[in-house]
Amino acid sequence: MNPGSTAATPFVHEQFETVEQQRSAAQLGMWVFLATEVLFFGGLFLAYTVYRSLYPQTFATASHHTEVILGGINTGILLFSSTLMALAVRAAELRNRKRLVWLLLGTAFLGVVFMAIKGIEYHKDFVEHLVPGSHFVWHEANQSHAEIFFWLYFAMTGLHAIHVIVGIFVLLTLAVLARRGKFTTGHHTPVEIAGLYWHFVDVVWIFLFPLMYLAGHR
Amino acid sequence: METTTHSPRVYWKTCAALMALLAVTWSIGYVNLGSFNLVVALAISISKALLVALFFMHMKGSSRLLHFAATAGVIWLLILFSLTLGDYFTRDRGSSQVTPSQIPEHFDGER
């Protein structure tokens, strides 16, 4: 802590000259992290591409066993939550504490609704014996290829779900801090970069929805 | 007060566009366009991702440094895909034309 500079700008860490410099460093850090996330998910999307090109018919059939209505509703929920998140960043910038807290809570709530619907879906898949492994039951052709589809379905939506859960905890933490007025005194960078993360998770789902639920027309 | 965020109008318009594109993807999923189903679905997904990146993530109006970092992620993804798929899609080329006479006599392993 540097007492000389803390009086005017208490939130600038000592390695930075200005708030603006600190903010652009945080943004760059988040975007670099998101680039690694693109490759993290990218490996799974690549596996999906290879197997779908090898077994297009089975992937189409297997895709029909997913819950397209729940998946579609969940897509809408995530898109709407992203909108609230973007509005939250604006509220923070305009130093509107009350609105910021409510928007952060609203975004987190939609994340919880998303996870609840995903849970219902996973339960249905489990009951229908669509979880790969010794309990997998398939009445149509090419059981092992269908199992690959469902392995990818669970791996990709599961990895995405972990990201949503992390995001919910980040948003709730931010909401608590925002209530204490931490982000409405001219320093809203944490809200901004958490927003970048949340939007990224939304983008992943934007690709997962048509690939998982609408592979081959219904 | 100078802001780096957009007015709420921009966010709600982006939201409306995203929802409209979701409705298009969803309904196209019930129409048989053959292999174009995938092409259309991906084109819509890319458009939606661009809308999110440009307006929600403020790529529009960001510094070149951030554009560079964001583009790097996409370019590396393309490298990952093009090298791997370049292998997979050309792997079996010509193997069906191998006749027994072309297999070396001392070859005793599995192909």
Side-chain angles (χ1 to χ4, degrees):
Chain A
M1 278 288 158
N2 179 349
S5 64
T6 47
T9 50
F11 33 75
V12 178
H13 292 284
E14 61 180 327
Q15 70 269 37
F16 298 110
E17 294 282 334
T18 60
V19 187
E20 194 41 51
Q21 189 193 38
Q22 177 174 270
R23 178 168 167 260
S24 40
Q27 283 181 329
L28 178 63
M30 195 63 199
W31 275 101
V32 170
F33 170 68
L34 293 185
T36 70
E37 288 273 90
V38 166
L39 294 174
F40 187 19
F41 279 98
L44 285 165
F45 276 100
L46 178 61
Y48 175 93
T49 309
V50 169
Y51 284 111
R52 180 165 168 178
S53 70
L54 288 174
Y55 316 123
Q57 283 309 317
T58 315
F59 265 49
T61 317
S63 173
H64 294 180
H65 289 259
T66 59
E67 303 290 330
V68 70
I69 294 182
L70 295 179
I73 291 170
N74 256 352
T75 312
I77 288 174
L78 274 197
L79 292 175
F80 191 64
S81 80
S82 258
T83 312
L84 294 189
M85 186 69 230
L87 291 167
V89 176
R90 181 170 173 82
E93 192 174 38
L94 296 179
R95 306 187 183 192
N96 191 330
R97 187 171 68 101
K98 211 169 173 184
R99 185 178 293 169
L100 170 62
V101 172
W102 279 112
L103 285 169
L104 286 173
L105 289 177
T107 310
F109 174 74
L110 290 178
V112 171
V113 173
F114 175 92
M115 284 310 303
I117 293 178
K118 202 82 208 82
I120 294 170
E121 253 188 280
Y122 281 158
H123 179 256
K124 283 191 164 199
D125 299 331
F126 184 80
V127 171
E128 288 167 25
H129 296 278
L130 293 173
V131 182
S134 53
H135 293 285
F136 188 79
V137 177
W138 190 248
H139 300 292
E140 287 153 88
N142 301 318
Q143 165 160 344
S144 58
H145 301 166
E147 233 173 325
I148 292 176
F149 173 87
F150 280 102
W151 188 90
L152 287 165
Y153 165 81
F154 282 106
M156 295 172 86
T157 58
L159 184 64
H160 177 267
I162 291 170
H163 280 76
V164 174
I165 293 169
V166 169
I168 291 169
F169 281 107
V170 169
L171 289 168
L172 291 177
T173 311
L174 288 182
V176 171
L177 295 174
R179 210 181 116 80
R180 294 182 198 152
K182 261 210 123 177
F183 307 124
T184 37
T185 51
H187 168 59
H188 69 289
T189 306
V191 180
E192 200 174 16
I193 60 170
L196 289 177
Y197 172 85
W198 192 259
H199 297 312
F200 168 79
V201 174
D202 188 17
V203 167
V204 171
W205 187 264
I206 284 173
F207 285 94
L208 283 179
F209 174 62
L211 294 181
M212 291 300 165
Y213 297 84
L214 301 167
H217 73 99
R218 279 181 174 256
Chain B
M1 183 177 166
E2 202 184 316
T3 57
T4 56
T5 49
H6 305 296
S7 83
R9 266 177 82 89
V10 175
Y11 295 130
W12 287 118
K13 274 186 183 170
T14 309
C15 180
L18 287 169
M19 294 296 180
L21 286 171
L22 165 62
V24 176
T25 315
W26 203 341
S27 20
I28 291 280
Y30 292 87
V31 185
N32 187 2
L33 300 174
S35 52
F36 271 97
N37 272 101
L38 180 61
V39 177
V40 174
L42 284 179
I44 295 175
S45 290
I46 291 169
S47 317
K48 283 160 88 181
L50 279 175
L51 282 174
V52 171
L54 285 175
F55 298 106
F56 287 168
M57 299 170 93
H58 301 119
M59 265 293 106
K60 192 170 175 282
S62 292
S63 67
R64 283 196 178 176
L65 184 61
L66 293 190
H67 289 179
F68 185 71
T71 317
V74 178
I75 288 176
W76 253 259
L77 183 72
L78 292 177
I79 294 173
L80 176 72
F81 267 71
S82 50
L83 291 184
T84 314
L85 296 182
D87 175 12
Y88 268 99
F89 292 165
T90 56
R91 197 173 269 192
D92 294 328
R93 185 170 291 171
S95 63
S96 56
Q97 277 123 39
V98 178
T99 57
S101 62
Q102 285 172 290
I103 301 172
E105 275 174 61
H106 58 268
F107 182 80
D108 54 0
E110 280 186 43
R111 283 191 70 87

